[in-house]
Amino acid sequence: MTFFVPEQGEAPQHRGKLLVISGPSGVGKGTLINEVLPRLKDTTLARSATTRPMRDHEQQGCEYYFLTDDEFDRKVAAGEFIEHVRYGSSRYGTLASEVEANLDKGRNVILEIELEGARAVRRRLPEAVLFFIAPPNIGDLRKRLEGRDTETPADIETRLRRAEEELASQGEFDYIVVNDSVARAADELEESILDSLEGGAS
Ligand code: 5GP
């Protein structure tokens, strides 16, 4: 019997998986991802680009690559985005440079993006697995958005209007996790991701 022994430095035989985590603003996607990411092997979170103003606690190149509109336009023109959207008064986009090389090296990549972006990724990369984080109810979402104190009241209304469309789209997703408690939802998200890595709903 012969065994295939990969030589050192050789590319792994499998490509990583693209894990798209979506759901309305304020639902707690970021919190759940922060809980789950350290539990997953060979998995990385892609950093998006945005034109939205930096919040107090944020740093350039940490939560996002914060760009001017012109810088964003140049990246669009150069074809650097896998997807990009206008969301409220700002723009957001997934950079191919954050995704492709990692997948090629066999690393799984998580994208934390809104609905239009998730749809665009699915069209472009049908092998992506889509996870939807849902709030227990819309009232809970309003409370969270108001409680975090990072958006203006007008922004909160825009985000809640968009949330209604997002909630109606759940059927398009491979896995749905209700964020009723962070500990429980994080466990379920981890299980769903592990299931998808084993070939589950993809
Ligand atoms: P926030 O301003 O609260 O950081 O993000 C607003 C929304 O944009 C969130 O729902 C977030 O998931 C989404 N988002 C962040 N990065 C991207 C991206 O690269 N593409 C898309 N389509 N949405 C993104």
Side-chain angles (χ1 to χ4, degrees), residues 97-200:
S97 57
E98 292 278 307
V99 175
E100 294 298 344
N102 279 310
L103 294 179
D104 287 345
K105 278 188 252 161
R107 290 183 70 75
N108 310 308
V109 178
I110 293 181
L111 304 183
E112 191 227 296
I113 61 179
E114 54 65 70
L115 175 63
E116 287 310 318
R119 285 175 170 156
V121 169
R122 168 144 279 174
R123 280 195 297 275
R124 188 154 168 182
L125 301 160
E127 68 279 17
V129 189
L130 269 55
F131 302 81
F132 189 86
I133 312 295
N137 55 64
I138 194 109
D140 184 86
L141 199 60
R142 174 180 289 278
K143 257 199 300 200
R144 289 192 207 200
L145 278 171
E146 288 172 350
R148 73 183 191 183
D149 210 21
T150 47
E151 282 83 28
T152 64
D155 272 339
I156 291 178
E157 293 312 318
T158 310
R159 284 174 183 234
L160 284 171
R161 267 198 306 280
R162 190 123 173 178
E164 286 174 26
E165 187 197 340
E166 296 187 302
L167 291 174
S169 75
Q170 290 180 52
E172 299 172 37
F173 286 75
D174 300 305
Y175 296 88
I176 299 170
V177 175
V178 178
N179 189 11
D180 44 8
S181 107
V182 172
R184 195 210 61 78
D187 286 348
E188 189 181 334
L189 180 61
E190 180 189 7
E191 279 164 30
S192 305
I193 291 175
L194 293 177
D195 183 69
S196 77
L197 294 177
E198 282 161 15

Side-chain angles (χ1 to χ4, degrees), residues 29 48 52 55 64 83 92-94 112-114 159:
K29 300 186 290 284
S48 293
R52 93 149 153 67
R55 294 174 186 152
Y64 286 104
E83 61 77 34
Y92 296 80
T94 304
E112 191 227 296
I113 61 179
E114 54 65 70
R159 284 174 183 234

Side-chain angles (χ1 to χ4, degrees), residues 20-102:
V20 178
I21 301 190
S22 197
S25 171
V27 77
K29 300 186 290 284
T31 306
L32 292 181
I33 292 169
N34 286 341
E35 278 288 319
V36 170
L37 193 58
R39 307 183 199 171
L40 300 170
K41 269 201 329 205
D42 299 329
T43 304
T44 185
L45 174 64
R47 194 167 290 130
S48 293
T50 184
T51 63
R52 93 149 153 67
M54 223 183 281
R55 294 174 186 152
D56 279 350
H57 64 280
E58 291 179 329
Q59 283 177 10
Q60 176 62 278
C62 187
E63 291 79 7
Y64 286 104
Y65 298 110
F66 292 94
L67 305 180
T68 63
D69 249 314
D70 282 351
E71 288 167 338
F72 200 98
D73 278 338
R74 276 199 291 278
K75 291 198 183 295
V76 172
E80 291 184 35
F81 287 114
I82 290 177
E83 61 77 34
H84 61 95
V85 297
R86 181 168 287 283
Y87 180 92
S89 47
S90 306
R91 297 155 83 192
Y92 296 80
T94 304
L95 293 159
S97 57
E98 292 278 307
V99 175
E100 294 298 344
N102 279 310

